[in-house]
Amino acid sequence: MPLGLSACTGPLSTLDPAGPAAASSAGLWWVMLGGATVLALLVFALLALVYLRPGVGARVRGRDWVVYGGLVMPVVVLTALVGYALFAGERLLAHPDENVPRVAARGEMWVWRFSYPDHPGAGETDVLHIPAGQAVDVLVTSSDVVHSFWVPRLAGKIDAIPGHENVVRIKADRPGAYNGVCAEFCGMGHTDMRFMVVAHDPADYEAFMAGGAQ
Ligand code: CUA
């Protein structure tokens, strides 16, 4: 297992979550993998059965194979998975909350410009500062073409669209540096459009920002 999963950790791994939103997405991924594995094993087992015991398959009417295997089972499985995905997705939405601090991210070929409504003097390119252990709403927009703001270990992707503001709520459980990338092809510089989210110890964050982060 360590060999198989060794590629699942790392600075851009969604399977190595460092906050609740990413943990929820990772949980959904594991549930999907588990469901797909069970169904694949069932199909392979049935296939093996009809090959090894030719009489068994013939005992079930063709119509029953279609009704139960082709309709009933997919409806039950897909309904459960869709329900779980909707429930998990709903909890990820950035419902308006005035207690959640806001920061702004603007994509621009091919950098990210970050600014802070609460700290007008602060702001820099390709590094975003947030307090650890606290949810932060990132207001995401673009100056030119469509980009996508993605910090895999903290949350899912959100499009950066010119003239429009999308909001993604991120939270880092612990202080640290988390890699981010642009996740929408946006031209020759797309692969270099990387950035970093630095989560500070909450006690240090205000002092850091008040110091006029450069
Ligand atoms: Cu910006 Cu890809």
Side-chain angles (χ1 to χ4, degrees), residues 23-208:
S24 173
S25 298
L28 180 61
W29 190 90
W30 285 109
V31 167
M32 293 283 187
L33 178 68
T37 303
V38 168
L39 288 181
L41 289 175
L42 180 68
V43 170
F44 291 142
L46 285 173
L47 195 62
L49 189 69
V50 295
Y51 267 108
L52 298 174
R53 298 266 185 279
V56 174
R59 254 181 267 152
V60 180
R61 286 191 304 164
R63 187 169 160 275
D64 288 346
W65 282 115
V66 173
V67 170
Y68 292 104
L71 289 174
V72 174
M73 191 179 71
V75 166
V76 170
V77 170
L78 292 179
T79 301
L81 284 177
V82 167
Y84 178 76
L86 286 177
F87 173 75
E90 161 68 18
R91 294 187 52 187
L92 294 183
L93 294 179
H95 297 292
D97 184 343
E98 58 190 24
N99 295 316
V100 176
R102 306 178 127 200
V103 301
R106 174 176 288 273
E108 188 180 311
M109 292 191 237
W110 289 279
V111 294
W112 290 96
R113 301 193 187 281
F114 297 107
S115 57
Y116 306 83
D118 297 337
H119 302 275
E124 63 189 299
T125 298
D126 290 336
V127 183
L128 170 65
H129 299 276
I130 61 170
Q134 183 180 0
V136 176
D137 280 347
V138 186
L139 314 176
V140 181
T141 189
S142 166
S143 297
D144 37 46
V145 299
V146 176
H147 304 274
S148 178
F149 177 94
W150 191 31
V151 188
R153 295 191 65 207
L154 297 185
K157 302 168 185 174
I158 192 125
D159 277 352
I161 299 169
H164 180 79
E165 205 167 63
N166 282 328
V167 184
V168 61
R169 185 163 292 169
I170 64 174
K171 178 180 169 187
D173 289 332
R174 280 177 294 282
Y178 304 94
N179 291 63
V181 294
C182 176
E184 182 80 44
F185 182 72
C186 54
M188 295 304 287
H190 164 69
T191 49
D192 297 323
M193 200 171 160
R194 298 161 178 275
F195 61 99
M196 188 74 81
V197 175
V198 179
H200 296 257
D201 193 300
D204 301 338
Y205 181 71
E206 282 305 320
F208 178 83

